[in-house]
Amino acid sequence: MFPAMKSKIGSPAIILIWGLLCSALSLAQSDSKDATATTNISSAEAEQPAINATSEQAPGSQANPESISSPQKEKTKLAAKKFTHRLSAQSLEQISFLESKLWKLQEQHGNFASASSEVLADMAVIYQSARQYDEASKLLRQAMQAQRVNHGLYSELQEPIAKQLVTNLVAAGQWRKAREQQEFRHWLANRSLLDDKKKLLKTLMALGQWQLHAYVYNGRRDFAHLSAASDLYLQYIGIYGQSPELDRQHEDLSKVLQGFIASNYFKLINLEQGQQSSGFSVTTLRQDPLSQREANNEFQQEKNSIFVTGKKALESMSAIETDEADQQRLSILKGDWHLMFGKYSTAKKYYREALAFSEESQRSTLLATPEVIPILPEWDESFSELEPRVHIKASYDIGRDGKARNLKVASEDKKYRGKIKRQLRKTQFRPNINSDGNFQNSKNIQQSFSFP
């Protein structure tokens, strides 16, 4: 069943996490000039099947913001060299042993000996521990090639090595290549797990969460993460709805729906800011009234499409789930979805519907504490931290419209103070909702923001 809705703004963990999310977006705006266009896939990557990028946490309240690194720029090779360590004597001895083992295997069974993939993966771990990421990537790609030669192009045995390669690319700061490798994992799952829907759903959820959290963690630069996440979540919802024979994974579905809402909300924010769109930019066309109207019309069409898609996805789950706890959770999510699009009356209707599923004694606390919208799903993994971070505290009030007011930032740095205030003014909150379903004001909310 879906977990019951709990108040989170009062929790120090979620306060710190949302601080990280807010600061990531504000940093992305100031650093947007550093973002680079997608480049050609390297020759080593070209060995993999072509993937369609469009068809493919900060982490949730359990995560520790201290374990999350600052956004990394695309100058990844320089960054990797900066953090490269020499192999220790012990590591050199291990590499020598593994190279000897690999040579014997290839001598007996050929260059693509089946057991060689495990040896190559072990060697990659040693190089990665020394932050020699390029060498580790080469070894992992060789290991995957050996798996393909021995077990076929669609072999599921490639999955652990592919995941290890993603971890290595992220550690090196090579986010584009990591995303492309995740697209390959999606392609592989769609072909190797056709007869195991339960495992396919788990894989789709994990891949969707990675894409969503990578977008937030990496400074919200790469719009392709959002398209990938949204498509992965939609595929999950479609399979889940068409497979009544499967055990109902209520907790997983809750995370998927939260992730779907978040990824589409961020897509909308990108369209509004003109940072990425289907060929138009609101910010660059203001001098031409006709072009501006056309851009605004196209934006409204995109916005309406996103809204309708999310609404249908949530309604499709309401037709499947019959348990009251599940229906309550879905009602809250539907309220959040409408609130993000400024449909306050409809949002209030769904929040009251959610309250009706609770005992009268519980209604006063169910939605009593403000919540950042959208809620990101919890995520069990994390990204490597390469740089220290500075934490700045802020306090503010939240009005009945879910907007922050009376902002106070505990920092003498005007740059950070300005960024925090701008971000808080843009943030949508679910306001305090009393037992009658009416929105209430909240005073003196505490929050921490994180900067590199």
Side-chain angles (χ1 to χ4, degrees):
M1 297 183 183
F2 290 138
M5 170 60 66
K6 297 181 181 179
S7 300
K8 293 187 177 68
I9 285 291
S11 166
I14 196 63
I15 291 173
L16 289 173
I17 289 302
W18 182 245
L20 175 61
L21 294 182
C22 293
S23 63
L25 179 55
S26 60
L27 282 172
Q29 293 173 350
S30 63
D31 291 339
S32 60
K33 292 182 180 179
D34 293 323
T36 57
T38 302
T39 56
N40 294 329
I41 300 175
S42 66
S43 58
E45 291 170 286
E47 296 176 359
Q48 298 178 172
I51 308 297
N52 186 342
T54 61
S55 61
E56 319 163 326
Q57 55 196 160
S61 59
Q62 310 300 321
N64 180 357
E66 297 293 342
S67 67
I68 303 173
S69 171
S70 59
Q72 300 298 312
K73 292 186 171 66
E74 279 293 315
K75 300 175 182 179
T76 54
K77 291 186 178 181
L78 293 176
K81 289 181 180 179
K82 178 181 178 181
F83 291 103
T84 296
H85 295 172
R86 290 185 178 182
L87 292 174
S88 65
Q90 182 180 6
S91 296
L92 287 171
E93 184 177 346
Q94 292 174 333
I95 289 292
S96 178
F97 170 77
L98 291 170
E99 285 179 338
S100 177
K101 184 177 180 180
L102 180 64
W103 182 81
K104 291 178 181 178
L105 285 170
Q106 293 177 342
E107 185 181 48
Q108 295 174 8
H109 306 287
N111 290 336
F112 297 101
S114 180
S116 65
S117 60
E118 183 178 347
V119 178
L120 289 164
D122 289 342
M123 291 171 64
V125 170
I126 297 173
Y127 280 107
Q128 185 178 342
S129 65
R131 300 183 180 180
Q132 296 190 21
Y133 302 118
D134 288 344
E135 188 62 31
S137 290
K138 292 176 184 177
L139 292 168
L140 290 170
R141 294 189 188 283
Q142 291 176 29
M144 290 176 63
Q145 185 64 18
Q147 293 282 22
R148 295 187 191 115
V149 170
N150 288 280
H151 304 286
L153 188 61
Y154 305 152
S155 173
E156 188 185 349
L157 295 175
Q158 298 175 76
E159 165 58 22
I161 299 175
K163 184 177 181 180
Q164 185 179 346
L165 178 55
V166 170
T167 301
N168 182 74
L169 292 169
V170 168
Q174 299 175 359
W175 287 97
R176 178 187 60 79
K177 291 183 178 181
R179 174 172 54 76
E180 290 166 355
Q181 189 61 32
Q182 291 291 70
E183 292 163 5
F184 167 73
R185 292 179 66 198
H186 181 208
W187 175 88
L188 183 62
N190 281 336
R191 285 153 180 80
S192 63
L193 300 176
L194 291 176
D195 298 326
D196 192 343
K197 289 184 178 179
K198 185 176 180 180
K199 193 169 184 179
L200 176 58
L201 289 179
K202 283 285 186 182
T203 302
L204 292 174
M205 184 183 73
L207 292 174
Q209 287 179 312
W210 187 94
Q211 295 284 6
L212 177 59
H213 288 279
Y215 169 75
V216 175
Y217 172 83
N218 195 29
R220 307 189 182 203
R221 290 189 184 89
D222 193 345
F223 185 81
H225 284 306
L226 298 179
S227 297
S230 179
D231 289 340
L232 285 159
Y233 290 133
L234 264 183
Q235 184 181 352
Y236 183 107
I237 292 169
I239 294 174
Y240 184 94
Q242 297 169 12
S243 307
E245 75 281 2
L246 294 175
D247 294 334
R248 290 307 173 195
Q249 301 295 322
H250 302 282
E251 185 176 349
D252 285 357
L253 181 60
S254 177
K255 294 178 181 178
V256 167
L257 291 174
Q258 287 177 345
F260 177 75
I261 288 174
S263 59
N264 281 279
Y265 175 75
F266 289 136
K267 285 170 69 176
L268 177 64
I269 294 299
N270 273 271
L271 292 174
E272 287 180 329
Q273 295 175 345
Q275 294 175 350
Q276 179 74 35
S277 67
S278 57
F280 69 93
S281 173
V282 174
T283 58
T284 60
L285 297 174
R286 290 176 178 169
Q287 303 303 321
D288 184 343
L290 179 61
S291 298
Q292 181 66 52
R293 283 198 299 272
E294 292 175 351
N296 287 336
N297 289 338
E298 188 173 351
F299 166 71
Q300 287 300 325
Q301 291 176 2
E302 294 282 353
K303 181 178 180 179
N304 292 338
S305 176
I306 291 173
F307 173 73
V308 171
T309 299
K311 182 180 177 181
K312 287 182 177 179
L314 291 168
E315 288 177 347
S316 69
M317 291 299 100
S318 295
I320 296 173
E321 306 302 338
T322 57
D323 184 272
E324 286 191 356
D326 296 345
Q327 288 290 353
Q328 181 184 70
R329 181 59 177 161
L330 282 166
S331 294
I332 294 172
L333 290 174
K334 285 189 281 189
D336 291 348
W337 183 250
H338 285 79
L339 185 64
M340 289 191 303
F341 285 83
K343 301 180 184 297
Y344 291 93
S345 297
T346 306
K348 189 179 293 186
K349 181 193 77 171
Y350 284 118
Y351 292 140
R352 286 175 175 169
E353 185 179 280
L355 289 167
F357 286 111
S358 296
E359 298 291 336
E360 189 170 351
S361 60
Q362 299 174 335
R363 292 177 187 173
S364 61
T365 58
L366 179 65
L367 301 173
T369 303
E371 181 74 79
V372 173
I373 303 297
I375 304 170
L376 269 75
E378 296 178 5
W379 192 44
D380 297 332
E381 300 179 37
S382 63
F383 299 118
S384 301
E385 181 175 10
L386 295 178
E387 299 178 17
R389 303 186 70 84
V390 174
H391 301 284
I392 300 174
K393 293 182 179 180
S395 65
Y396 50 91
D397 302 334
I398 297 177
R400 287 192 292 270
D401 58 355
K403 299 299 182 181
R405 296 179 175 83
N406 301 325
L407 313 178
K408 298 177 182 178
V409 181
S411 174
E412 298 298 326
D413 192 308
K414 293 183 179 180
K415 177 182 176 182
Y416 287 150
R417 191 164 63 242
K419 286 184 177 182
I420 290 173
K421 287 186 175 183
R422 284 193 298 273
Q423 181 53 42
L424 280 172
R425 291 190 183 101
K426 295 176 183 177
T427 300
Q428 176 66 59
F429 294 86
R430 181 203 304 142
N432 173 4
I433 302 174
N434 65 17
S435 58
D436 296 324
N438 294 317
F439 294 171
Q440 304 292 310
N441 294 321
S442 299
K443 300 290 186 180
N444 197 30
I445 302 298
Q446 303 292 319
Q447 186 169 332
S448 178
F449 290 79
S450 180
F451 294 92

